[in-house]
Structures are given as C-alpha cells and as structure tokens.
C-alpha cells in the first residue's frame, strides 16, 4: 500500500477532517487513523497535536464523530489525532471471542506473550510510530504533543504519559481504568498479553506507576459518579491514593449524575481541550 492512503476528507469549521490508513511496523498490519487539521494548520502553521485514545470496541472514528471537539479545536489551533484501538484482520485464535479482549481492545501496551507479542504493540505504535508519521505528513509540532483518552484509552493516556513524560507534554483522561491490575478488564487483558507475573503488570498500571514516578505537571481526570463501571472497573480512588503518595498534581473531578457515555465526554470536552491548549501554548 502507499505510505499514506487517504480514505476521505471533509471541510470542518474552516479546517479539514480526514480519515487515513498507513502501514505499521509496530503492529505489522495497516492501521486506520483520523486527523482534524484546524484552519491554522491549513494556513501553513505547525500546530500542537492532541492524540486521543478511545475505549473498548471503539475505532479511530468514534471520537471524531461523537465527542464534538472540532469546533473548539479550530478556535484553539489544536490538531486532533485519533487511532484505532487494536490491530485488525490478523485472525489470531481467540482475538474476537470477547468484546473486552483482542480486536478493539489492545489496551495500549506492548504484549510480551505469544501469540500477541508479534502484533499487539499499541504502546510502541502510539508512543513512537504514529506521532513520527503524523509529524512527517501533517503540520504537527514535534515539541508540543498532548495525549488524552476515555476508559481503556484513559488508561493508555495516563500510562504512556507516566512512562514517557518527556514525549507527552500534556495529559488528561475521561473515566480511565485507573488500576487495571486489580479489576476484571485489566486482569483479562494483562493475563493474556503480559502473562501471569503480576510484577510485569505494574509497568502498565497508572496507579502503580504514579506512586513511583509522578508526571511533571497537572493531570486532569473527569469521572461521572453514575458510571456503571465506577466501582468494578475504574477505581479512581486508587489513582487519588497514588497521587497523595507521590505528590502528583492531580485534578480528579467527580461529576454528579454522569455516566460512561460520550454524552459525558461531550459535556466536559471543552475543559480538556483548554487544559491541553494551556499546556501546549496554543495561541487560540
């Protein structure tokens, strides 16, 4: 396939909304991704890029269609980038048996167990390959990168920023899986991708990472108190405890009456975009 294949592009708030595909060495398969270029980028400026990691069962389209982020991103001069949530089309035995593992559920880590280790390297993809590709083919600044996400993607955003803070210059999350090593979603994913040694799991668990190495800046997290996954899967209290131990600057907001849906994400999207815009030095 071509280095960059354009699937479709549309005008959007004086910018350009596009869906693309490229060959990935990290995952070994073509990967779909989406980019919103604000009008400042179309006028020739290199703008900050904000990367969004979606949750279980989602694709690169989910955020761009449902989150309502483009209007304010255009005003702020923020490029928005969204990737798929796993490699696809591999037909590995067991990769489509469950909605919360395998296809659509890459968990933004680098698998170390066969048969997953050859392709399920989403951390390598998001942390290195995709930003490098974006900065080569779009007017994105290499010095101003932000990352955020929802649920499984919130877990990914927190973990990647904590593991590589010099690369990610701002971070936030919506309803993240805060302590995946201690909840069913994470136990299933980590047990299969990483194996039975729970010490290895700690390297992909935001609450465990934050206890030892806090991120050098404020982290914004929004969590709805009517989220059906709050007590069984998300456990924001573990992240709060980790912040208190390490001194992490954490703004954890518990939002009354909100659930796990994109209606919740839409409601607080502007706060997150402005959080990143301040950290990334947007002119808008």
């Amino acid at each position: 396939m071509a280095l960059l294949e354009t699937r479709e592009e549309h005008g959007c708030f004086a910018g350009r909304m596009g869906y693309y595909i490229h060959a990935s060495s990290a995952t070994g398969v073509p990967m779909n991704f989406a980019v919103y270029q604000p009008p400042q980028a179309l006028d020739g400026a290199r703008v900050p890029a904000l990367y969004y990691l979606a949750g279980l069962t989602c694709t690169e389209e989910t955020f761009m269609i449902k989150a309502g982020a483009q209007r304010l991103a255009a005003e702020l001069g923020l490029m928005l980038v969204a990737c798929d949530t796993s490699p696809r089309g591999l037909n590995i035995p067991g990769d489509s048996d469950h909605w919360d593992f395998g296809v659509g559920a890459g968990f933004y880590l680098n698998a170390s167990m066969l048969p997953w280790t050859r392709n399920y390297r989403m951390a390598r993809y998001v942390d290195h390959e995709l930003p490098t590709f974006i900065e080569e083919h779009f007017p994105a600044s290499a010095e101003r990168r932000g990352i955020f996400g929802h649920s499984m993607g919130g877990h990914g955003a927190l973990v990647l920023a904590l593991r590589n803070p010099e690369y990610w210059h701002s971070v936030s999350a919506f309803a993240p899986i805060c302590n995946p090593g201690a909840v069913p979603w994470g136990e299933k994913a980590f047990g299969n991708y990483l194996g039975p040694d729970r010490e290895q799991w700690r390297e992909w668990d935001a609450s465990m990472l934050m206890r030892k190495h806090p991120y050098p800046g404020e982290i914004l997290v929004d969590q709805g108190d009517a989220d059906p996954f709050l007590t069984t899967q998300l456990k924001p209290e573990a992240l709060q405890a980790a912040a208190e131990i390490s001194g992490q600057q954490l703004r954890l907001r518990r939002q009354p009456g909100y659930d796990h849906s994109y209606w919740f994400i839409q409601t607080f999207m502007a706060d997150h975009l402005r959080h990143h815009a301040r950290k990334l030095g947007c002119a808008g």
Side-chain angles (χ1 to χ4, degrees), residues 51-55 147-155 157 172-176 272:
Y51 291 75
Y52 181 85
L53 307 183
I147 190 166
F148 69 153
H150 171 232
S151 194
M152 177 185 72
H155 141 76
S172 73
F174 296 94
H272 284 249

Side-chain angles (χ1 to χ4, degrees), residues 1 3-4 7 20-35 51-53 60 81-88 106-111 118-134 138 145 147 160 164 167-168 204:
M1 63 178 295
L3 190 63
L4 173 64
R7 290 158 51 202
Y20 309 94
I21 185 170
H22 75 126
S24 167
S25 61
T27 65
V29 296
M31 293 293 292
N32 293 321
F33 66 95
V35 178
Y51 291 75
Y52 181 85
L53 307 183
E60 75 287 349
V81 182
C83 64
D84 205 347
T85 51
S86 76
R88 295 180 189 264
F107 269 81
Y108 305 104
L109 50 71
N110 295 325
R118 296 192 181 102
N119 307 99
Y120 277 73
R121 297 180 293 188
M122 289 298 293
R124 184 180 303 179
Y125 178 70
V126 174
D127 236 356
H128 300 290
E129 186 175 29
L130 181 60
T132 298
F133 189 85
I134 293 294
F138 297 86
R145 292 186 208 94
I147 190 166
L160 296 183
N164 202 359
Y167 197 80
W168 298 108
W204 300 100

Side-chain angles (χ1 to χ4, degrees), residues 71-245:
R71 181 193 294 270
L72 183 55
E75 296 176 15
L76 295 171
L78 270 176
M79 182 179 294
L80 303 174
V81 182
C83 64
D84 205 347
T85 51
S86 76
R88 295 180 189 264
L90 293 163
N91 297 316
I92 297 172
D95 71 359
S96 299
D97 291 352
H98 304 279
W99 67 273
D100 55 357
F101 176 77
V103 174
F107 269 81
Y108 305 104
L109 50 71
N110 295 325
S112 56
M113 298 294 289
L114 291 172
W116 314 104
T117 187
R118 296 192 181 102
N119 307 99
Y120 277 73
R121 297 180 293 188
M122 289 298 293
R124 184 180 303 179
Y125 178 70
V126 174
D127 236 356
H128 300 290
E129 186 175 29
L130 181 60
T132 298
F133 189 85
I134 293 294
E135 288 154 17
E136 288 177 355
H137 295 275
F138 297 86
S141 170
E143 288 74 42
R144 295 184 291 169
R145 292 186 208 94
I147 190 166
F148 69 153
H150 171 232
S151 194
M152 177 185 72
H155 141 76
L158 293 173
V159 166
L160 296 183
L162 287 162
R163 286 171 61 97
N164 202 359
E166 68 279 1
Y167 197 80
W168 298 108
H169 307 117
S170 62
V171 58
S172 73
F174 296 94
I177 306 171
C178 296
N179 190 193
V183 301
W185 281 342
E187 288 176 334
K188 178 187 285 189
F190 286 10
N192 282 282
Y193 291 139
L194 302 174
D197 183 0
R198 288 179 176 253
E199 282 301 308
Q200 293 189 36
W201 296 12
R202 297 169 71 90
E203 297 304 311
W204 300 100
D205 186 313
S207 293
M208 297 296 103
L209 290 168
M210 188 181 286
R211 286 170 176 260
K212 298 189 297 182
H213 304 293
Y215 180 79
E218 182 185 60
I219 296 176
L220 171 63
V221 174
D222 274 307
Q223 173 63 62
D225 74 357
D227 190 319
F229 303 113
L230 178 59
T231 58
T232 56
Q233 304 284 9
L234 305 179
K235 296 193 177 297
E237 65 276 7
L239 199 68
Q240 184 70 61
E244 291 171 358
I245 289 169

